[in-house]
Amino acid sequence: MRAFVMFLLSGCVSLVTGSAFADEPIVLKFASIAPDGSMLAQEIKRWSADIDVSTGGHVKVKWYLNGVAGDELEQGDRMMKGQLDGSAGGQMFCNRIIPSMRVTRLPGVFQSRDEAADAINRLNGEMTKEAHAHGFELLTAVSLGPDVIFTRTPVHNLADLRKIKLWRWDLDEVGIATSRQMGLQIVPLPVGDAARAYDDGRVDGFLAIPLAALAFQWSPRARYVTDLRGSYIWSCLVVTERSLQRLPTAYQDALRVAAARARERFEEMGRRTDEALLGGLFAKQGLESVPVSESFRAEYVAAARDSRNKVADRFMPKELVDRVMQMLADYRIEHAKH
């Protein structure tokens, strides 16, 4: 964080334009809480490299990773102030400027990446408009995966789950509210405090996506993993319209085209990674996968549905939830196995 503040104080501008700097590359400043070296960080760097190549080196993206520019909401504030040009986040800032995206945080709705992706794809037009209304362009949104449960002790039913204290991202308003309505003991903390909270015994587990558990080293700490496919987190890549509009049209298009390519790569990589982690790689770390019985899944889904009915309208219009549930019903009919 200090290094980032010093950079701002140095007098460097966020976007270099104008004839006086015609020979200098345009530098866009983007931020993410993703740890440097993580899969998400590697992919967004590939996006930057694509832009560098497609613009002949005239546009470069400088990344501030590891949360040095603050958490996702702080990064959002910096974008609003013109200190950053964009960000790649785990949805929490985008929930503020693209409220339709919050529907993916409802538990027990989507049972696969494909179901969630179908809904997000159908909502893309209005999500783009919502971002525009707040002064941003949504370059792309891609699934980071489902929430699963990493615990110190095995969880075999809803009663077991309600007995333990679970960490949840403190910025995840929808996830926290719905989980508590389900009777879960949620301890909201920043991402950077989660591992220490587990080590100190303040929490007994993590409600997190597999990619985050690996990137932030939560999975090596836990002993059991339970895959209930509770809700999904989407990464959103956004840029301020102020910064985008200062670029020549060809360079604006370069950002969009590179983002579309990044989405295709990351969607496939994320799918394969989740399958690998939950299919055996976590076991090599010492994690034991807890089988989910039909009765456990049924009581979880029922509790999630009840929670959704009581809490969702605090965060999104009922019309949106109803529409997404109809999309989901249509999708399942269309893709039913005969």
Side-chain angles (χ1 to χ4, degrees), residues 173-332:
E173 296 175 327
V174 180
I176 292 168
T178 51
S179 295
R180 284 177 169 167
Q181 185 63 44
M182 292 173 66
L184 306 188
Q185 299 183 58
I186 299 299
V187 181
L189 290 168
V191 169
D193 294 346
R196 179 171 293 181
Y198 184 88
D199 294 343
D200 293 345
R202 286 179 285 153
V203 299
D204 306 305
F206 311 90
L207 258 171
I209 60 174
L211 278 175
L214 180 66
F216 293 102
Q217 293 295 290
W218 303 329
S219 52
R221 289 173 159 82
R223 295 184 58 193
Y224 300 92
V225 58
T226 308
D227 182 9
L228 284 165
R229 302 281 163 146
S231 53
Y232 280 75
I233 284 188
W234 286 73
S235 175
C236 53
L237 180 62
V238 296
V239 62
T240 66
E241 291 190 333
R242 176 181 57 248
S243 297
L244 189 66
Q245 290 167 4
R246 291 175 187 167
L247 295 173
T249 301
Y251 295 169
Q252 295 180 30
D253 291 341
L255 266 67
R256 297 181 182 113
V257 170
R261 290 174 182 158
R263 176 178 181 172
E264 291 180 5
R265 289 194 303 263
F266 194 85
E267 188 66 55
E268 182 57 30
M269 184 207 68
R271 187 187 305 272
R272 292 199 311 267
T273 301
D274 278 357
E275 290 172 354
L277 289 172
L278 295 170
L281 290 182
F282 277 149
K284 292 182 179 180
Q285 290 185 334
L287 270 173
E288 181 179 335
S289 180
V290 180
V292 177
S293 66
E294 288 299 319
S295 60
F296 185 9
R297 188 173 299 281
E299 63 179 352
Y300 177 85
V301 170
R305 181 173 56 249
D306 181 65
S307 171
R308 186 167 67 244
N309 291 337
K310 293 178 178 176
V311 171
D313 61 359
R314 287 166 44 189
F315 303 99
M316 63 201 78
K318 184 178 184 300
E319 177 273 334
L320 171 65
V321 178
D322 291 344
R323 187 152 46 96
V324 168
M325 297 306 294
Q326 185 59 56
M327 292 177 188
L328 186 57
D330 293 343
Y331 179 89
R332 288 174 176 169

Side-chain angles (χ1 to χ4, degrees), residues 47-92:
W47 173 71
S48 305
D50 280 354
I51 293 168
D52 193 356
V53 171
S54 63
T55 63
H58 291 293
V59 178
K60 296 183 180 294
V61 179
K62 181 176 179 63
W63 280 99
Y64 296 91
L65 301 172
N66 304 307
V68 297
D71 65 28
E72 291 197 357
L73 298 189
E74 291 170 326
Q75 290 171 18
D77 289 341
R78 293 188 188 281
M79 286 186 280
M80 301 275 193
K81 295 174 182 177
Q83 298 170 348
L84 287 171
D85 300 299
S87 72
Q91 189 173 340
M92 299 309 145

Side-chain angles (χ1 to χ4, degrees), residues 156-169:
H156 296 292
N157 50 52
L158 192 57
D160 287 345
L161 190 59
R162 286 170 170 163
K163 290 177 184 176
I164 61 178
K165 294 174 292 183
L166 292 170
W167 171 86
R168 190 142 213 173
W169 196 353

